[in-house]
Amino acid sequence: MEINGNQEIKSNKQYHPQMHSAEHILNQTMVRMFNCGRSFSNHIEKKKSKCDYHFSRNLTEQEIKEIELKVNNVIQQDMMVKEEFYLKDEAETKFNLSKLPDDAGEKIRIIKIGDYDACPCSGQHVSHTIEIGTFKIISTDYRDNVLRVRFKLL
Ligand SMILES: [Zn+2]
């Protein structure tokens, strides 16, 4: 299966590893379900987090339930989260590096969550998805072509 989506570059910020790992899975789930891009803006915190997507409408209750099911299914499969390093030239052929900073250097760090997701990232992650807990969407809203998804972990 082709792994799709943009990169997520995290720098100069301390992220909550469980929340941030959930964000990776949520992004890949959104890409697969709606063929949208990964979140272009997000705020990750221990208690609750939010991700913003370029979108054309709000989500239905049914879709929210389906996202929760898919994300929790990945978590429950206890996938390994691994970092791999690629030379930039090779990474460019395998991943979307369009948002990579110019000063990213020749070695690109790719975070892989089992065979579900892969994207460049410099943040901190759990080593097994089971550590994330249970993913729950608190609410969504839609405005000016931006879908905001708020979520927490139980
Ligand atoms: Zn990350």
Side-chain angles (χ1 to χ4, degrees):
M1 183 180 298
E2 190 177 271
I3 294 172
N4 199 358
N6 298 321
Q7 51 78 44
E8 290 155 49
I9 298 303
K10 312 296 178 198
S11 60
N12 306 320
K13 260 188 177 177
Q14 208 57 10
Y15 282 82
H16 188 258
Q18 284 85 359
M19 269 293 193
H20 174 60
S21 302
E23 175 201 343
H24 276 247
I25 299 171
L26 172 63
N27 278 335
Q28 180 61 233
T29 302
M30 292 295 290
V31 170
R32 290 183 185 212
M33 280 180 69
F34 304 107
N35 202 26
C36 61
R38 301 178 83 99
S39 63
F40 65 91
S41 167
N42 59 65
H43 192 80
I44 303 298
E45 281 187 4
K46 189 176 181 178
K47 280 192 172 176
K48 56 181 178 179
S49 297
K50 59 189 177 189
C51 287
D52 290 345
Y53 300 89
H54 295 300
F55 223 75
S56 57
R57 58 176 176 80
N58 205 342
L59 298 174
T60 66
E61 285 298 317
Q62 188 61 38
E63 287 167 337
I64 290 170
K65 286 200 178 78
E66 197 177 335
I67 294 166
E68 288 177 339
L69 262 174
K70 286 178 191 286
V71 171
N72 283 317
N73 185 37
V74 171
I75 292 171
Q76 286 301 318
Q77 286 181 59
D78 199 14
M79 293 182 180
M80 276 187 68
V81 181
K82 293 188 294 187
E83 63 172 17
E84 291 179 4
F85 290 89
Y86 292 83
L87 290 174
K88 197 172 182 181
D89 290 347
E90 188 186 4
E92 273 170 350
T93 67
K94 293 184 171 171
F95 310 100
N96 185 339
L97 304 183
S98 58
K99 291 183 198 161
L100 205 64
D102 291 338
D103 62 355
E106 279 306 299
K107 264 193 174 177
I108 307 297
R109 182 190 191 223
I110 303 291
I111 298 299
K112 289 189 175 175
I113 300 182
D115 59 1
Y116 193 72
D117 185 39
C119 80
C121 185
S122 60
Q124 292 185 358
H125 309 84
V126 298
S127 53
H128 295 83
T129 57
I130 199 82
E131 298 165 44
I132 294 170
T134 301
F135 173 85
K136 176 89 183 141
I137 291 178
I138 302 165
S139 64
T140 67
D141 60 53
Y142 178 73
R143 192 181 165 181
D144 297 335
N145 297 310
V146 174
L147 171 69
R148 174 162 291 175
V149 179
R150 296 184 189 84
F151 61 96
K152 61 183 177 180
L153 300 176
L154 305 174

